[in-house]
Amino acid sequence: MSENDSINIAGRTIHSSLYSLIASTITITLGFVRFILLLYFLLPEDFGVFTQAMFFITLAAQLRMPGLDLAIIQRQEVNEFVRRTYFSLKMGSLVVSVLIMAAAVPYIGEVYSTMPLLTGILLGLLSLDILKGLNGVQEALLRRELAFKQIAIADITSAIFTTLVTPYLAWRGYGAWSLVAEVLIGQVSRGGIVWFSARVWWPRPGWNKEIAADLWQFSNKLWGTSALSFITDRFDDFWIGQGLGSESLGYYSRAYEAARYPRRVIALPLSIVFFSTYARLQDDRQRLSQAFFRLTSLLVRASFGFSLIFILAAPEFIALLGDTWQPMLVTFQLMIVYTLLDPLAVGAGDLLIAIGRPDLSFRTNIVQVVVFVPAVILLGSWLGIVGVALAANLMIGIGAFIL
């Protein structure tokens, strides 16, 4: 890579990071407003049934090629044949996974007979997965080109519309369905930007055997990591929903959602930018190291700030929400460790994948799963959602240390 190319990538990375941070500032503000309003208008059971449905939506995603978007970003050369093959693989695997999960919905309804809304919500979210996949095609190509200004516009547009509409629907009594509407509104508004304002390519199906094999090979390396990440991200939800019920799952899911704010607001927007940068600099060790150091140092400071807010403001924050949400206070506070360490694990894992070493993340996830699953069962049976929160802290601490 020439010096001019490196300078160009550095400049685009800086601009992309600024766009992502500006978008994050706006979306975190709107997201926090939406978060508070929904806590006022909805019950823990509403969040619980929606979270249980999202478990199966995420499970369906494991039947696809979860690393396909990263494969197209990481690939050095992308032409029309590559784009068409990528599109066919992505949408084909998505449709198959949705149909398989849809066929299983009646059986899921029988198992979760105490959650009568679950099957309808699950079918609604499955249909929205198709729209999300179509939007993902354009967003992956935009990320590859470091066109994060357009993605930032999509993020802000989505945040504005969901903040205006979702709390209104919750206030009008739509319950858990208002959370499904949040997904619908978010994806429709994103689609309006990435398909009509910032479209990189108009998708057309196509197939090239060699290209498909290459994309499959890269994505297949990430399948194991994705499956293990699914367990570490969702096993706690599954166990609580099965063992403790929708109300407890609602309390835990809101505490967990708050703990993941640093990931959603800071770590993910910057990691998305830097993943593309890492992929371009994977053969330039010095500049790659500099980019990783700069991202990690920022994440350390930001995570510490969020953790401090958790420590100081948690009791007052829960008190403002009323007695309904008081049972989640201790769980909310225990998520401080998760808030501090999770963004660091995300950043380190993205670096390893971008330089073609997903095997290292995979080994780390194996250790996390081996610890996490029995810890959730044992501590959860003993201490309820407080024990599950302790298990989550233990899991993320081990992962961040290894990575």
Side-chain angles (χ1 to χ4, degrees):
M1 179 182 295
S2 68
E3 184 176 351
N4 287 336
D5 289 338
S6 295
I7 293 173
N8 184 42
I9 290 175
R12 292 166 69 186
T13 300
I14 292 171
H15 284 101
S16 296
S17 298
L18 288 174
Y19 289 131
S20 291
L21 287 174
I22 291 171
S24 292
T25 301
I26 297 172
T27 56
I28 187 176
T29 304
L30 294 175
F32 184 74
V33 171
R34 191 166 65 251
F35 181 82
I36 298 299
L37 290 175
L38 290 176
L39 288 179
Y40 270 112
F41 296 140
L42 299 179
L43 297 173
E45 292 87 341
D46 296 324
F47 291 107
V49 69
F50 179 80
T51 302
Q52 194 68 63
M54 286 303 301
F55 168 82
F56 292 105
I57 294 297
T58 312
L59 177 61
Q62 304 311 305
L63 305 177
R64 305 166 199 162
M65 301 171 63
L68 198 57
D69 289 343
L70 298 182
I72 201 72
I73 295 171
Q74 196 266 353
R75 189 182 177 91
Q76 295 289 7
E77 297 293 333
V78 173
N79 55 32
E80 182 67 15
F81 294 109
V82 174
R83 294 189 186 96
R84 291 191 179 194
T85 304
Y86 156 71
F87 176 74
S88 298
L89 278 172
K90 182 178 178 69
M91 298 309 299
S93 62
L94 190 154
V95 170
V96 169
S97 68
V98 167
L99 291 176
I100 291 174
M101 184 55 68
V105 166
Y107 305 99
I108 294 172
E110 292 179 4
V111 174
Y112 290 89
S113 57
T114 58
M115 299 183 189
L117 291 178
L118 179 60
T119 54
I121 288 175
L122 182 52
L123 288 172
L125 290 173
L126 282 172
S127 64
L128 293 178
D129 245 16
I130 303 294
L131 176 58
K132 183 179 179 180
L134 287 169
N135 289 346
V137 171
Q138 291 296 333
E139 291 188 42
L141 295 174
L142 287 168
R143 287 171 58 188
R144 174 181 165 75
E145 301 301 323
L146 290 173
F148 285 93
K149 178 180 179 180
Q150 290 81 359
I151 293 177
I153 293 172
D155 289 340
I156 294 170
T157 303
S158 175
I160 291 173
F161 280 102
T162 53
T163 303
L164 289 174
V165 178
T166 310
Y168 172 76
L169 294 175
W171 173 63
R172 292 299 303 268
Y174 285 90
W177 283 104
S178 60
L179 300 175
V180 179
E182 181 178 26
V183 178
L184 170 63
I185 295 163
Q187 291 303 322
V188 169
S189 55
R190 293 185 74 84
I193 300 299
V194 301
W195 281 96
F196 298 104
S197 175
R199 186 177 70 244
V200 176
W201 172 72
W202 188 257
R204 289 180 290 275
W207 192 258
N208 181 286
K209 184 177 179 180
E210 289 75 19
I211 294 172
D214 189 47
L215 292 173
W216 166 261
Q217 184 178 14
F218 183 91
S219 181
N220 194 44
K221 292 178 182 178
L222 299 178
W223 186 88
T225 300
S226 177
L228 293 174
S229 296
F230 166 75
I231 296 175
T232 57
D233 281 344
R234 293 292 176 175
F235 179 77
D236 44 358
D237 293 339
F238 171 76
W239 187 87
I240 293 172
Q242 280 282 81
L244 303 179
S246 60
E247 184 179 30
S248 294
L249 181 55
Y251 290 131
Y252 180 81
S253 69
R254 293 307 88 195
Y256 190 67
E257 175 79 4
R260 288 165 66 92
Y261 250 83
R263 173 191 279 203
R264 292 174 52 202
V265 176
I266 298 175
L268 283 183
L270 289 177
S271 294
I272 287 172
V273 173
F274 274 79
F275 181 88
S276 302
T277 303
Y278 295 155
R280 295 293 176 271
L281 298 176
Q282 58 185 292
D283 297 324
D284 190 336
R285 174 100 184 192
Q286 181 179 355
R287 289 186 172 89
L288 180 66
S289 298
Q290 291 172 345
F292 178 69
F293 173 78
R294 287 165 183 163
L295 175 62
T296 305
S297 61
L298 176 60
L299 293 182
V300 167
R301 292 173 174 85
S303 299
F304 181 83
F306 270 91
S307 296
L308 188 61
I309 292 172
F310 266 60
I311 294 171
L312 298 177
E316 289 78 9
F317 173 72
I318 300 299
L320 288 174
L321 299 175
D323 294 337
T324 300
W325 293 98
Q326 197 64 33
M328 85 171 189
L329 174 59
V330 177
T331 304
F332 188 80
Q333 291 175 313
L334 284 173
M335 284 297 187
I336 292 168
V337 175
Y338 197 99
T339 302
L340 179 62
L341 297 179
D342 179 59
L344 304 182
V346 171
D350 282 349
L351 172 68
L352 294 173
I353 294 171
I355 64 174
R357 292 303 308 274
D359 56 301
L360 298 178
S361 292
F362 179 70
R363 295 173 192 172
T364 302
N365 284 338
I366 289 176
V367 177
Q368 288 180 294
V369 168
V370 169
V371 173
F372 185 55
V373 171
V376 166
I377 297 172
L378 294 174
L379 294 175
S381 300
W382 179 29
L383 300 171
I385 60 173
V386 171
V388 178
L390 290 172
N393 286 341
L394 177 63
M395 176 270 295
I396 197 64
I398 290 173
F401 176 77
I402 296 173
L403 289 169

